[in-house]
């Protein structure tokens, strides 16, 4: 890019700019100073041939001088070195051919010099292709001339001009100077270029070093953030466990109506706080790219019933009609996918539907969208007759910490993270969420998800009713609890006493192994963080016990850590399942029951 300069500019500095590469600058410099040398040489030649009355050569020298002046002016006005180089090469070619074929009608040392100059100049200035072009354009006719002359066939009705030795000396001298100048100039440009490349390389290395340090710092701080969040979650969830557990117990102990009301508020707030902690943690995990989707076998109908089973009560408490509609074609299907993430997505959508619907209906639908034999695409729809969403906000509600309006926050609470998590979970699987909504009429959220289909079929189709306490099997259950925290122990004991279960307590993993060896147990509830021996190690040791019945005892981990990241570690340690503290009594019971019935007695 050349700068705009005045027409009367003659300075080289004004036509050079930082935007030009070192090589382009060298080319412009070469033209600028080259023009001076050529002008002096041509002026000398002109004087020499003029006084020898060589008409043709004088005219040639005059034209050349004039061209040099014009091109020099053009260069200092607009440094278009490419066009100027072409013009110079065309002029040089014409002079060369004129000399050989018309004016001198011979090939002498000056011809050779001119050809050399053209070769050098064209290659240096215009690159390989043009270099070859101008070189051959000058060489071939000259060689042809030499062949013609050799056969004495060349004849032109014009007397060749015989110049004086002084002209030849000036010509040869000037040509050599220009050849040397072109070479030395390009050598220094080449050298500077390499030097600059090296400097750029050094600079780049320095920047790379800085970048590495910065990346390292960023990674460390992100790790510290994650660790901080995880520690905080543990610290918050442990007392929350106690609050929720205690309120559960108190609610089971027939409280007075006024106490019941207070307990409801207490439990509601604690659950709310828990879901906020979980949301923040989960979003943090998704953002840091730590989400891995599982490919587990699951029964879709069971899954949907379980998700809705928990939500239906909430809807009923608000006086809403709740309908779960499952396509009959999906009955009996065993699928492969990530049930935890499907639940999380649907759970968020259904919770929102209930939250933002003051009256009317909630529909949760799952239907077969496409059957590809080995896999199926299922359409999930969550629809409500709630407050609806403004058209303008249909995209922004998926942004983290964004709610439709400040009134929403005041009236309904929430963090604005639910839909952001849902959207990212879908996007990570290449899926998209569709929303349609009308203010005052309701909203519909839907998405399609593909699942591989197992060839296995569900053997039972009857609705699995939720398992409730008081089950015969439970009261005779021999439970071992490995837990060090006395508040948690108290909670567990109280909770289990409602189902007439009297557990045995071991205060750490090592003790649990000891107790297990001497007693007869059906199941272990294993806290993960304990002194002396933690839950993971204890589970691994148990699985190695020589008594196969004891080694195979079902173990449920009790974890206070964030929702999903612990699952893999728990399963790797040989445990069968886990419940996150603060757990819901029904969830714990359901898991206990499914494991105890699944294991042959
Ligand atoms: P939160 O529910 O914590 O506010 P979400 O990310 O789940 O956060 O939802 C973001 C916002 O989208 C909500 O605050 C609400 O304004 C709007 N929204 C989500 N679902 C519905 C719905 N079913 N009906 C009306 N508004 C909704």
């Amino acid at each position: 890019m050349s700068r705009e300069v005045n027409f009367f500019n003659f300075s080289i500095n004004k036509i050079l700019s930082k935007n030009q590469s070192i090589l382009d600058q060298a080319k412009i410099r070469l033209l600028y100073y080259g023009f001076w040398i050529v002008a002096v040489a041509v002026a000398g030649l002109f004087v020499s041939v003029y006084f020898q009355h060589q008409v043709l050569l004088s005219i040639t020298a005059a034209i050349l001088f004039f061209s040099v002046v014009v091109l020099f002016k053009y260069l200092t006005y607009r440094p278009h070195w490419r066009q100027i180089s072409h013009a110079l090469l065309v002029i040089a070619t014409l002079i060369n051919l004129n000399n050989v074929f018309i004016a001198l009608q011979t090939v002498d040392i000056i011809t050779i010099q001119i050809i050399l100059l053209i070769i050098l100049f064209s290659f240096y200035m215009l690159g390989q292709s043009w270099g070859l072009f101008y070189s051959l354009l000058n060489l071939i006719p000259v060689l042809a001339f030499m062949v013609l002359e050799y056969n004495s066939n060349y004849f032109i009705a014009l007397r060749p001009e015989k110049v004086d030795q002084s002209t030849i000396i000036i010509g040869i001298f000037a040509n050599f100077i220009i050849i040397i100048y072109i070479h030395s100039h390009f050598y220094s440009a080449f050298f500077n270029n390499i030097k600059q490349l090296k400097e750029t390389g050094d600079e780049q290395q320095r920047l790379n070093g800085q970048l590495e340090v910065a990346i390292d710092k960023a990674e460390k701080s992100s790790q510290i953030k994650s660790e901080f969040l995880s520690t905080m979650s543990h610290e918050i969830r442990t007392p929350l466990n106690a609050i929720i557990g205690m309120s559960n117990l108190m609610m089971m102990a027939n409280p007075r109506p006024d106490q019941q009301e207070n307990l409801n508020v207490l439990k509601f707030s604690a659950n709310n706080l828990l879901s906020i902690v979980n949301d923040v943690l989960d979003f943090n995990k998704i953002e840091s790219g730590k989400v891995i989707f599982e490919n587990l076998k699951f029964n879709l109908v069971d899954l949907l019933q379980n998700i809705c089973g928990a939500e239906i009560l909430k809807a009923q408490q608000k006086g809403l009609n709740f309908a779960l509609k499952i396509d009959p074609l999906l009955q009996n299907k065993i699928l492969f996918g990530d049930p935890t993430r499907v639940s999380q997505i649907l759970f968020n959508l259904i919770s929102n539907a209930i939250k933002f619907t003051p009256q009317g209906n909630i529909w949760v639908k799952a239907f077969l969208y496409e059957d590809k034999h080995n896999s199926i695409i299922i359409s999930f729809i969550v629809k409500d007759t709630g407050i609806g969403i403004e058209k303008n906000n249909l995209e922004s509600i998926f942004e983290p910490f964004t709610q439709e309006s400040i009134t929403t926050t005041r009236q309904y609470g929430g963090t604005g993270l639910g839909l952001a998590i849902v959207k990212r979970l879908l996007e990570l699987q290449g899926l998209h969420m569709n929303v349609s909504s009308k203010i005052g009429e309701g909203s519909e959220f839907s998405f399609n998800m593909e699942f591989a289909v197992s060839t296995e079929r569900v053997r039972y189709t009857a609705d699995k009713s939720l398992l409730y306490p008081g089950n015969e099997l439970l009261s005779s259950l021999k439970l071992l609890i490995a837990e060090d925290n006395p508040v948690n122990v108290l909670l567990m004991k109280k909770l289990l006493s409602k189902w007439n279960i009297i557990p045995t307590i071991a205060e750490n993993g090592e003790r649990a192994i000891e107790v297990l060896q001497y007693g007869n147990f059906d199941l272990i509830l294993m806290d993960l963080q304990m002194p002396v021996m933690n839950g993971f190690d204890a589970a691994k040791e148990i699985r190695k016990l020589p008594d196969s019945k004891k080694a195979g005892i079902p173990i449920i981990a009790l974890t206070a850590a964030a929702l999903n990241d612990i699952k893999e570690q728990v399963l790797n340690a040989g445990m069968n399942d886990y419940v996150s503290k603060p757990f819901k009594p029904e969830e714990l019971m359901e898991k206990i029951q499914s494991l105890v019935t699944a294991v042959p007695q």
Side-chain angles (χ1 to χ4, degrees):
M1 272 277 156
S2 59
R3 287 180 284 171
E4 287 289 309
V5 289
N6 190 305
F7 181 76
F8 295 103
N9 168 57
F10 288 99
S11 143
I12 174 99
N13 292 333
K14 293 214 170 125
I15 52 175
L16 293 176
S17 80
K18 278 189 186 147
N19 297 331
Q20 297 150 343
S21 70
I22 276 209
L23 221 57
D24 285 359
Q25 291 187 10
K27 286 172 181 173
I28 292 170
R29 263 197 214 101
L30 175 102
L31 284 173
Y32 184 87
Y33 296 113
F35 275 133
W36 286 102
I37 301 174
V38 174
V40 172
V42 173
L45 276 174
F46 174 77
V47 173
S48 170
V49 289
Y50 181 78
F51 286 108
Q52 292 168 48
H53 307 291
Q54 306 290 7
V55 182
L56 257 177
L57 286 177
S58 302
I59 294 173
T60 311
I63 292 176
L64 186 56
F65 187 78
F66 181 70
S67 310
V68 166
V69 172
V70 170
L71 289 175
F72 177 76
K73 181 61 249 146
Y74 184 52
L75 178 76
T76 51
Y77 177 52
R78 292 281 179 265
H80 297 159
W81 53 267
R82 215 182 291 272
Q83 295 170 5
I84 296 172
S85 305
H86 276 296
L88 275 173
L89 283 163
V90 169
I91 294 170
T93 304
L94 290 176
I95 292 172
N96 180 35
L97 299 184
N98 171 53
N99 278 354
V100 173
F101 283 90
I102 304 167
L104 303 173
Q105 293 178 28
T106 184
V107 173
D108 58 9
I109 184 166
I110 294 193
T111 320
I112 308 295
Q113 280 186 322
I114 292 178
I115 293 177
L116 267 179
L117 269 174
I118 289 173
I119 294 175
L120 281 182
F121 188 77
S122 59
F123 270 95
Y124 278 147
M125 295 298 290
L126 299 173
Q128 199 173 31
S129 312
W130 283 113
L132 267 178
F133 172 75
Y134 283 109
S135 304
L136 295 178
L137 188 67
N138 283 276
L139 257 180
I140 292 171
V142 170
L143 290 175
F145 172 84
M146 286 166 82
V147 174
L148 281 175
E149 200 191 29
Y150 180 71
N151 294 326
S152 312
N153 283 339
Y154 187 76
F155 169 75
I156 180 168
L158 200 77
R159 187 177 57 84
E161 299 196 338
K162 291 276 176 271
V163 288
D164 188 277
Q165 188 62 21
S166 66
T167 314
I168 296 176
I169 292 172
I170 294 174
I172 293 175
F173 189 70
N175 283 343
F176 272 137
I177 286 184
I178 299 171
I179 290 175
I180 291 171
Y181 172 68
I182 291 179
H183 262 303
S184 78
H185 186 82
F186 267 98
Y187 172 78
S188 67
F190 171 75
F191 187 77
N192 282 344
N193 213 5
I194 292 197
K195 211 167 98 189
Q196 201 194 34
L197 273 180
K198 195 181 166 302
E199 276 167 16
T200 322
D202 290 349
E203 175 70 8
Q204 209 145 29
Q205 224 166 357
R206 197 181 60 78
L207 286 176
N208 277 350
Q210 279 182 354
L211 198 69
E212 256 166 46
V213 173
I215 289 175
D216 216 44
K217 255 192 195 167
E219 268 170 7
K220 263 194 202 129
S221 71
S222 142
Q223 200 183 338
I224 290 170
K225 188 186 100 187
S226 294
E227 275 163 17
F228 169 75
L229 277 171
S230 155
T231 314
M232 277 306 286
S233 86
H234 186 254
E235 297 305 314
I236 295 173
R237 287 162 68 104
T238 306
L240 261 181
N241 176 28
I243 296 170
I244 294 176
M246 279 297 179
S247 44
N248 276 334
L249 285 175
M250 284 153 91
M251 278 166 125
M252 285 164 136
N254 294 329
R256 294 192 314 264
D258 60 318
Q259 286 173 329
Q260 174 82 38
E261 216 169 274
N262 293 346
L263 283 172
N264 277 341
V265 174
L266 180 69
K267 196 178 162 191
F268 175 81
S269 308
N271 274 327
N272 223 4
L273 183 55
L274 179 66
S275 74
I276 292 172
V277 172
N278 284 344
D279 271 2
V280 172
L281 277 168
D282 225 30
F283 187 73
N284 175 51
K285 207 174 136 200
I286 293 171
E287 285 292 276
S288 57
K290 286 193 196 137
V291 176
I292 299 164
F293 290 95
E294 291 180 308
N295 201 21
L296 300 176
K297 211 181 328 176
F298 71 100
N299 178 337
L300 179 77
V301 176
D302 276 2
L303 185 78
L304 287 170
Q305 279 174 348
N306 281 345
I307 299 169
C308 294
E311 293 300 281
I312 220 160
L313 288 174
K314 269 203 265 166
Q316 280 169 354
Q317 275 166 9
K318 266 186 96 173
L320 304 170
N321 298 317
F322 190 109
L324 166 64
K325 291 186 178 170
I326 305 174
D327 191 334
L329 294 171
L330 294 176
Q331 298 284 350
N332 308 334
K333 284 238 190 285
I334 299 281
L335 307 176
F336 284 98
D338 191 334
T340 317
R341 295 302 178 179
V342 175
S343 310
Q344 195 178 5
I345 294 170
L346 287 172
F347 187 76
N348 265 306
L349 295 179
I350 300 169
S351 300
N352 275 347
I354 296 173
K355 187 155 104 177
F356 296 107
T357 304
Q359 65 205 27
N361 305 302
I362 311 285
W363 295 274
V364 178
K365 297 184 210 168
F367 67 85
L368 183 66
Y369 181 79
E370 194 184 333
D371 193 341
K372 298 180 168 178
H373 299 297
N374 289 335
S375 67
I376 52 173
I377 299 178
I378 300 176
S379 244
F380 294 96
I381 300 170
V382 177
K383 195 174 168 198
D384 62 60
T385 55
I387 57 170
I389 304 157
E390 287 246 22
K391 210 169 169 219
N392 294 343
N393 296 332
L394 284 179
E395 279 191 15
S396 65
I397 52 167
F398 290 99
E399 293 305 315
F401 304 106
T402 308
Q403 300 188 311
E404 224 208 322
S405 68
I406 203 86
T407 342
T408 314
T409 322
R410 259 189 239 126
Q411 203 173 338
Y412 300 97
T415 53
L417 270 179
L419 289 181
I421 292 175
V422 165
K423 184 181 175 213
R424 276 161 179 74
L425 283 178
L426 287 178
E427 276 174 356
L428 285 173
Q429 300 172 83
L431 305 174
H432 176 73
M433 171 72 74
N434 303 304
V435 207
S436 59
S437 184
K438 256 195 177 162
I439 285 287
E441 287 185 21
S443 314
E444 180 177 317
F445 290 78
S446 64
F447 62 96
N448 290 353
M449 197 180 265
E450 187 167 353
F451 300 92
V453 185
S454 163
T455 44
E456 207 179 305
R457 310 216 97 214
V458 186
R459 261 172 261 125
Y460 55 91
T461 50
D463 270 4
K464 245 177 78 183
S465 55
L466 282 173
L467 300 154
Y468 284 106
N471 189 302
E472 285 294 296
L473 188 72
L474 286 179
S475 56
S476 59
L477 198 69
K478 288 188 280 308
L479 259 186
L480 172 60
I481 300 178
E483 168 70 83
D484 62 312
N485 182 327
V487 179
N488 286 344
V489 170
L490 179 73
L491 267 173
M492 296 292 266
K493 273 188 172 167
K494 284 200 166 184
L495 177 70
L496 292 167
S497 71
K498 305 285 167 195
W499 296 297
N500 300 325
I501 301 172
I502 303 166
T504 307
I505 310 295
E507 62 277 12
N508 61 52
E510 201 175 77
R511 183 90 188 103
I513 300 170
E514 253 172 54
V515 174
L516 175 68
Q517 275 168 325
Y518 299 113
N520 244 337
F521 294 97
D522 299 313
L523 189 137
I524 303 179
L525 295 178
M526 180 80 81
D527 183 33
L528 293 178
Q529 280 136 329
M530 288 181 290
V532 187
M533 185 187 273
N534 68 34
F536 295 111
D537 292 341
K540 284 184 201 156
E541 290 301 317
I542 290 171
R543 294 296 179 232
K544 286 190 223 154
L545 288 177
D547 181 337
S548 64
K549 194 168 172 250
K550 289 188 173 163
I553 187 169
I555 306 176
I556 298 178
L558 303 173
T559 152
L563 263 182
N564 301 300
D565 49 357
I566 207 78
K567 188 169 180 177
E568 210 181 313
Q569 294 176 44
V570 164
L571 297 182
N572 283 345
M575 289 179 258
N576 302 65
D577 209 336
Y578 74 101
V579 281
S580 308
K581 292 189 230 172
F583 46 80
K584 299 186 183 80
E586 314 88 66
E587 186 194 354
L588 176 66
M589 274 312 149
E590 199 179 321
K591 292 204 166 170
I592 291 178
Q593 231 179 14
S594 73
L595 279 172
V596 173
T597 46
V599 175
Q601 299 296 300

